[in-house]
Amino acid sequence: MTENENITNDPIIICEDVHKWFDDFHVLKGITTTFKKGERAVICGPSGSGKSTFIRTINRLEEHQRGTIIVDGIELSNDLRNINLIRQEVGMVFQQFNLFPHLTNIKNITLGPIQVRKMSKRAAEEAALALLERMDIADQAYKYPAEISGGQQQRVAIARALAMEPKIMLFDEPTSALDPEMISEVLDVMRELAHSGMTMLVVTHEMGFAREVADRIMFFDEGVVIEEAAPADFFDNPQHERTKLFISQTLQH
Amino acid sequence: MENLAITQEVKPPNTSKGPVKWLQDNLFNTWYNTILTFLALVFLFFVFRGIFIWVFTQAEWQVIPANLQILMIGAYPIEQVWRIWIVLYTLFVLLGLSAAVWKGLVLRISTAIAIFGLILLLIPLDIVKNSEIGYATLEYNFNIAYLIFFKRKWLLGGLVLFVVSFFLGRDKNKLKRWVIGGWVLSFPWTMITLHGFGENTVSTTNWGGLLLTLILAAVGIVVCFPLGVLLALGRRSQLPAIKWVSTIYIETTRGVPLITILFMGSIIFPIFMPGDFQLDKVIRAMIALTLFSAAYMAENVRGGLQAIPQGQVEAAQAVGLTYPKTMLFIVLPQALRSVIPAIVGQCISLFKDTSLVTIVGLQDLLGIARSILGNPTWQGLYVELYLFIAAIYFIFCYAMSYVSQKIEADLGIGKH
Amino acid sequence: MNNNTHTVIPDKIPFYRDVRFLKVFFQILFLIGIILLAGFLYSNMLNGLRKQNLALDLSFLGSEAGFGISEGIDYDPSDSYLKAFWVGIVNTLKVSIVGILCATIIGFIFGIARLSSNWLIRNIAAVYVETFRNIPLLLQIVFWAALTRALPTVRNSIIISDSIVLNVRGIYLPSFEPGPGFSAWLWYLLAGVILAIIVVLALAVFRHSGQLREPHDTDRPSFISNIIFGAKWAAAPTFLIVAIAGLFLTSEAPFVVNRPVLQGFNYVGGMNLTPEFSALLIGLAVYTSAFIAEVVRSGIQAVVKGQREAARAVGLKESQVLRLIVIPQAIPIIVPPLTSQYLNLAKNSSLATAIGFPELLHIGHTMMNQTGQSIPIFGMVMVSYLIMSLTTSAFMNWYNHRITRIGRSR
């Protein structure tokens, strides 16, 4: 594990007592935490523990019903302007890629910059090509998503998020829908991104990645964070019974 | 004959693909199929014999050429027919360019249309013309119709334009945007050209025959499209007021027959308009057809919208697109592509449904046919006339359903 | 974009940016728009009606209609408008129901014929379907109407095999009516029911005792299941044999065939279909049957593709495949589009107004012309059609719900 030289002391995401219900089902039961600028947090936990819901509240794909979330000094509330601002600040990568199948890869990437950031088409395309180069798939720019492999699609999706020049990147199980041989190419890109100083919140089951890259690991269960620690402590000296069970299960796996 | 014997020696009759084998497989494979085959043959023999005798010895076909002009264009003044040709030329040019730019299916469809034009061009109308038509005035009418409307030079010109624009547009992908724009503008352009302005105005009440049928169908489908999309979005909206108003509109309209809505246009609509405000009955029929087909369009589009996964909307929101932009750039392009066959299906039924305007007194293809039959000269020739217009309706509808099948197949194997 | 970093959190959101407010606001705006439009139309209507000296009320429904209706249930011009309207509804229902029956029969025949292994049959069916569904229904109805009007006079009627008569007054078909021996035959039916029960019970007892004698007593069928077995195989044949035997054994004929006979200037007896009714019925049945044929064909094909091969692989015979696999699965696929075709037929019956068959819309139109009360009458017509449509689609939703539930529980 390398020390994260990019981490600062400025808080960039502040969550205070965040609650969320789906009808009567209490998904998030009061999450309070702070992420610092440049921090890389890995969120894990069993399925249905609320970890995906939690990162989706951060760019308001899900609305939280109690508590406060402040992203980069902007409170997530019913204020339309704030919602739009935060969505520009926060990039998101989905489990199922969610690329737009009717647009070529490069148009997938340039759509946001042109329509939201009001960049010129040319500048947006240049930036997109540079990003694809960084993702090592520049040759796939003018193909359609359905014509490339899953790993390549997920890298296009990362490029699409990065094209908005976000300050924070959210990853919602980015490798869960991939065939095993493609997982490493996506993790490589994420690793590279981590070293560039991006603030990252990653929901994942890739414990190797977590141990190597994360500054902090948060363990969710039944809507609460039952343990959070630096990777070394988390893996080698877990405090909670549930955490121990989870670690033994995933590492066996 | 000897040659034939030799080929038979070389090719034994029991090869698996021979005609005898085919007959065995497809007509005589079981005892009941053999019986069915003979019954069907007897049936077909009598049907064809009946049709043959009627068509060639009993039918009085002169009713068609003598009335060809009004069947095609109704009371549209003959000296203004050039307007129709201008519209047709515009469409030919756009068709040629589209064929060149998109190739594939579009090319095949436009070629089929051009070939149909070519067949019209080659139909020996002269033979019909030379066959005796007992009445001097009729001959006059027919000559006018033939000379001005079916003038081959005009049609030939259109076909030439088609070919020329096809070759001009080849390998020019940048034209795509302009061609789409052209199609969008072609609709108002058609209406303005046909209507004209100033002294040469041709009022819509003079539009008739096939021309009116086509215009009604085109207006119905083109204008209802944006309305239908809005209604579909409205019905899926999260805002209850908008959702319920859309739903009530769609369900009410689909729950009543089209003819009641047309009657509403002709009887009720004027009551609801302020004092001296008046619209002619063609426009009112257009409004009724549009409002009616919008409800059906909405349901088709909604089907497409439902097929778009939620992840697409979330991804669009995550890159910061607003609701209108998400719909415009992400959801609608995908949804509409998947419902093209359903929309073509709607075009077909709308095209057939335009015949209902006859009931509210418009002179569309069917209306004209009925008024021709009201003329004592042509009384009783309904079989000939109705068969003729049935053939026209059939050709259009069958062509559209054929195209829709092709599109469906193309979408099935398409890459995106 | 860094200037946002130190934005002070506003404690209060301005209302024009508050999502909650905007949602409510847009809906209110939308509703106000709708209400304004409705108000505009309403005030125009009031003005228009004032000019024509008409008031909106339904009292005219009770007054004497004064116009004749050419066919339908018992009605006299001195009856009320409401009665006349009711005659229209009944006529619409009548032609719809008969039309649905005919269209279903013809449609299923052609739909199955399209899947025939016989090339000729398959293609005759295809030509039928493509022809009739690609020609406007109104044109077809008008054509049949012209044809029925052009039938010969009563004196020169076309008579087919002594029982079907075609002339300008319509189509006359023979009808079956209960004859003098009918009540005697009913006793035979009762005897058939009793005999069927006895046979079923006897069969069940026999089979059950046979099973009791078998050595292994595990999985032995219960007596009830033996009764069901007996009912399945013996009940209907027994009953039918007795019923048919009864037809011959009664001393007097239980049914008489009532053939149309020329009496004076007209044919009487049998069933008479007026020219308008015949034209409408033929048009509706033929047009809709073409669509039903397509529904049936695609429904069966949808199942056939994968399932049928799987069923064959299991080793079922062709007839078993059809009975056990294809039909049970095709029916749930066929029913929803079939229902919507029925609904279309009912709505299309309104086209009768073009040929003068007195159905709902035609009578409504006559009433409007006589009273000038176009708005309430129009409302009544529309609501009648809406009730028909909504009840049908309610049924369809219920059916779909049921079917999907069964599908899941499997």
Side-chain angles (χ1 to χ4, degrees), chain C residues 37-202:
Chain C
L37 182 71
F40 170 72
L41 295 176
Y42 185 71
S43 76
N44 285 334
M45 179 191 80
L46 288 186
N47 282 335
L49 291 178
R50 202 178 303 126
K51 267 184 211 156
Q52 294 175 30
N53 268 328
L54 277 172
L56 272 188
D57 73 295
L58 292 170
S59 57
F60 71 95
L61 283 175
S63 50
E64 191 181 309
F67 60 89
I69 297 176
S70 58
E71 64 179 293
I73 50 170
D74 200 21
Y75 164 86
D76 189 85
S78 62
D79 282 330
S80 68
Y81 278 112
L82 197 61
K83 181 74 190 287
F85 192 79
W86 177 241
V87 176
I89 290 181
V90 172
N91 277 342
T92 291
L93 289 177
K94 184 174 107 186
V95 78
S96 302
I97 291 167
V98 180
I100 284 171
L101 279 176
C102 298
T104 308
I105 295 167
I106 307 172
F108 269 76
I109 291 173
F110 279 97
I112 292 166
R114 283 206 70 177
L115 296 168
S116 163
S117 60
N118 186 317
W119 184 88
L120 262 180
I121 298 293
R122 200 163 64 221
N123 282 289
I124 290 175
V127 169
Y128 173 89
V129 168
E130 291 302 338
T131 308
F132 287 107
R133 77 182 182 148
N134 283 319
I135 295 172
L137 173 59
L138 182 61
L139 175 53
Q140 295 189 36
I141 290 176
V142 167
F143 176 82
W144 296 120
L147 209 62
T148 50
R149 275 193 210 113
L151 283 171
T153 56
V154 175
R155 197 167 286 275
N156 303 320
S157 296
I158 303 169
I159 300 167
I160 301 165
S161 67
D162 226 15
S163 46
I164 301 173
V165 177
L166 302 175
N167 63 38
V168 75
R169 302 227 177 144
I171 299 174
Y172 295 80
L173 299 171
S175 60
F176 288 89
E177 279 158 27
F182 187 71
S183 55
W185 187 61
L186 283 181
W187 286 108
Y188 276 94
L189 289 190
L190 186 64
V193 172
I194 294 167
L195 196 64
I197 293 172
I198 294 170
V199 167
V200 167
L201 283 176

Side-chain angles (χ1 to χ4, degrees), chain B residues 224-263:
Chain B
C224 89
F225 184 75
L227 217 57
V229 170
L230 284 180
L231 279 169
L233 291 177
R235 192 168 181 176
R236 281 174 60 82
S237 164
Q238 288 172 347
L239 308 180
I242 292 172
K243 179 178 172 175
W244 284 106
V245 171
S246 310
T247 308
I248 289 170
Y249 176 83
I250 292 171
E251 289 305 325
T252 315
T253 312
R254 280 158 40 92
V256 297
L258 169 59
I259 184 65
T260 57
I261 294 181
L262 282 166
F263 266 129

Side-chain angles (χ1 to χ4, degrees), chain B residues 189-386:
Chain B
W189 163 247
T190 302
M191 302 310 272
I192 292 168
T193 315
L194 289 180
H195 192 266
F197 35 78
E199 279 181 16
N200 290 327
T201 302
V202 181
S203 137
T204 49
T205 42
N206 286 335
W207 300 7
L210 181 61
L211 176 72
L212 181 62
T213 296
L214 289 174
I215 295 276
L216 286 173
V219 170
I221 211 75
V222 172
V223 185
C224 89
F225 184 75
L227 217 57
V229 170
L230 284 180
L231 279 169
L233 291 177
R235 192 168 181 176
R236 281 174 60 82
S237 164
Q238 288 172 347
L239 308 180
I242 292 172
K243 179 178 172 175
W244 284 106
V245 171
S246 310
T247 308
I248 289 170
Y249 176 83
I250 292 171
E251 289 305 325
T252 315
T253 312
R254 280 158 40 92
V256 297
L258 169 59
I259 184 65
T260 57
I261 294 181
L262 282 166
F263 266 129
M264 219 157 94
S266 70
I267 300 172
I268 307 284
F269 180 79
I271 302 177
F272 284 107
M273 284 299 116
D276 27 332
F277 180 81
Q278 281 188 338
L279 278 177
D280 73 64
K281 57 185 178 181
V282 175
I283 306 279
R284 276 182 279 156
M286 283 175 180
I287 293 173
L289 279 172
T290 305
L291 292 179
F292 179 76
S293 57
Y296 285 81
M297 180 64 80
E299 284 301 271
N300 283 336
V301 173
R302 190 166 72 107
L305 290 176
Q306 271 168 341
I308 306 298
Q310 185 59 24
Q312 290 289 309
V313 178
E314 288 178 358
Q317 285 176 345
V319 290
L321 293 182
T322 55
Y323 176 83
K325 282 185 175 171
T326 305
M327 289 299 140
L328 200 63
F329 294 122
I330 305 300
V331 175
L332 283 176
Q334 295 183 57
L336 294 181
R337 189 178 306 220
S338 67
V339 294
I340 289 174
I343 292 174
V344 179
Q346 207 197 325
C347 291
I348 297 175
S349 46
L350 186 71
F351 183 76
K352 287 186 292 177
D353 282 344
T354 54
S355 59
L356 267 59
V357 299
T358 305
I359 300 178
V360 291
L362 261 59
Q363 296 291 314
D364 72 320
L365 197 50
L366 181 57
I368 293 273
R370 288 184 101 186
S371 52
I372 292 171
L373 290 173
N375 178 339
T377 321
W378 306 118
Q379 216 168 19
L381 296 182
Y382 58 90
V383 183
E384 291 85 346
L385 251 183
Y386 285 158

Side-chain angles (χ1 to χ4, degrees), chain B residues 45-119:
Chain B
F45 171 75
F46 282 106
V47 168
F48 277 114
R49 198 184 65 156
I51 291 177
F52 190 84
I53 291 173
W54 183 80
V55 166
F56 290 101
T57 66
Q58 294 168 345
E60 300 182 41
W61 290 114
Q62 69 272 26
V63 62
I64 310 294
N67 295 295
L68 196 57
Q69 185 203 327
I70 58 167
L71 279 170
M72 291 297 138
I73 57 173
Y76 205 91
I78 201 81
E79 62 281 359
Q80 302 285 340
V81 168
W82 54 270
R83 294 170 189 277
I84 299 174
W85 281 110
I86 287 184
V87 168
L88 285 176
Y89 282 3
T90 317
L91 297 181
F92 267 125
V93 169
L94 282 171
L95 212 54
L97 288 175
S98 312
V101 175
W102 278 283
K103 306 191 181 73
L105 188 62
V106 184
L107 175 61
R108 273 181 281 153
I109 295 169
S110 352
T111 318
I113 294 173
I115 289 173
F116 183 69
L118 205 64
I119 293 172

